[in-house]
Each structure stands twice: as C-alpha cells, then as structure tokens.
Amino acid sequence: SIHVFDILREHSTSAGSKAWEACGADGTRVTIWSGDASSSVTNIHPLIPSPLGNGTMDDEPIWVELRPGKLLLAEVVDKANRLDRLQWAAQVCDAVAALHAIGRVHGSINAHAVVIDDSGTPFLIGHGNIDGSKQDDLDALHRLAKQISPDIELHDDRSSAAALSAR
C-alpha cells in the first residue's frame, strides 16, 4: 500500500545522507531514512522505535521509523534541569544496552539521534543506520552522557551500556 507523508524538515545524518521528519495523514510522526531498513527487529526496548516499513522516494530506497517526539535532544538539552538530564542519560544508556544484548549496535549515537516526546521521554532513533561496533557505541554514549549532564561522574568505565546507565 502507498503511504503519503508531509515532510516537515530535512536533517543531515552523521553518515552524510539525509533523513526527513514527516507526518502522515493521521498525524503520526515518522523519520524517513535514506537507504535500506537496518533492522526488522521490533520491540527491542520501549525507548527504541520500531521500523514501520520501507519503500522508495525519488526511486531511492528509504525506510520509515516511528518518531514519538517532536524535539531533538540537541534542541532542548541546554534548557533542561539536572534531574531530567540525568534521567535522559540513564534511559538512553539503557536503550543501547538492550540493543547490545541482542547483538546489535546503534552506530550513530548523539544528541540528534534522540527525540523527546511531550512528556519528556527520550527515544533513540535510527539504530543500525550506520555501521559501527559496540565499542563505538560505548564511546559515543560516554560523550553524549557528558554532554547531557556535564557534572555526572562516569570515570572511564566503558565496559557496557548497562554499566553507564547504572552510573
């Protein structure tokens, strides 16, 4: 079946490709990623949206992912209070731990890969969109956690995303 989305804004990805924030006729917000769907695995973690499907746009492959939030973490992190920042850091680390537990990686963890919904819940979007390793994810998580909450005590423990979440 054909689904039509209104493009709300375009984003450049860290891989140099494009992604589009869009809205369906029923009001559902999605992210449209260029390329083939990275994963058909669903229900990985409550804070990792599942792919909705794939298709083409301008004769190029795309995949569509639910986008539960309107705001990027990068847009709100400087305005957030300390408690929200700490909770976001822990929640994102927990979501990545779930990916790693099933042998997957995110590949592009940063403040532009986290959307915040109206209730303040963070969602990690675009998992598997870029090749990477578990260690790449852990290094990126460490940087993101320090960006989200500069006063957090992380030391140099990068043994697992679960360990970072617990800290």
Side-chain angles (χ1 to χ4, degrees):
S1 67
I2 294 177
H3 295 278
V4 177
F5 296 99
D6 290 324
I7 303 295
L8 303 174
R9 61 182 172 170
E10 181 178 301
H11 301 276
S12 294
T13 68
S14 57
S17 62
K18 300 287 183 199
W20 299 268
E21 183 178 341
C23 187
D26 64 356
T28 301
R29 296 176 73 85
V30 299
T31 304
I32 301 170
W33 300 95
S34 57
D36 292 317
S38 62
S39 172
S40 59
V41 178
T42 59
N43 300 321
I44 296 169
H45 186 277
L47 302 181
I48 298 177
S50 297
L52 297 175
N54 54 34
T56 59
M57 186 165 71
D58 299 329
D59 295 324
E60 295 294 324
I62 54 142
W63 62 280
V64 180
E65 175 182 51
L66 185 64
R67 187 182 186 101
K70 295 178 184 178
L71 300 171
L72 291 172
L73 177 61
E75 298 168 336
V76 299
V77 69
D78 292 336
K79 301 171 195 132
N81 66 51
R82 184 176 187 275
L83 182 59
D84 285 342
R85 289 170 174 241
L86 287 171
Q87 185 169 347
W88 290 339
Q91 288 172 302
V92 171
C93 289
D94 190 55
V96 174
L99 273 175
H100 290 178
I102 63 166
R104 303 237 182 222
V105 297
H106 186 278
S108 184
I109 298 168
N110 59 54
H112 289 87
V114 178
V115 294
I116 307 294
D117 74 3
D118 292 341
S119 71
T121 303
F123 292 85
L124 185 62
I125 62 171
H127 77 279
N129 206 24
I130 296 175
D131 290 335
S133 70
K134 182 178 173 183
Q135 192 58 53
D136 292 339
D137 276 0
L138 293 174
D139 292 343
L141 264 181
H142 199 273
R143 286 189 302 273
L144 181 62
K146 289 301 280 182
Q147 178 186 354
I148 294 172
S149 190
D151 60 340
I152 195 170
E153 289 293 328
L154 292 177
H155 309 289
D156 274 337
D157 182 6
R158 297 181 192 185
S159 58
S160 73
L164 283 173
S165 178
R167 285 207 174 269

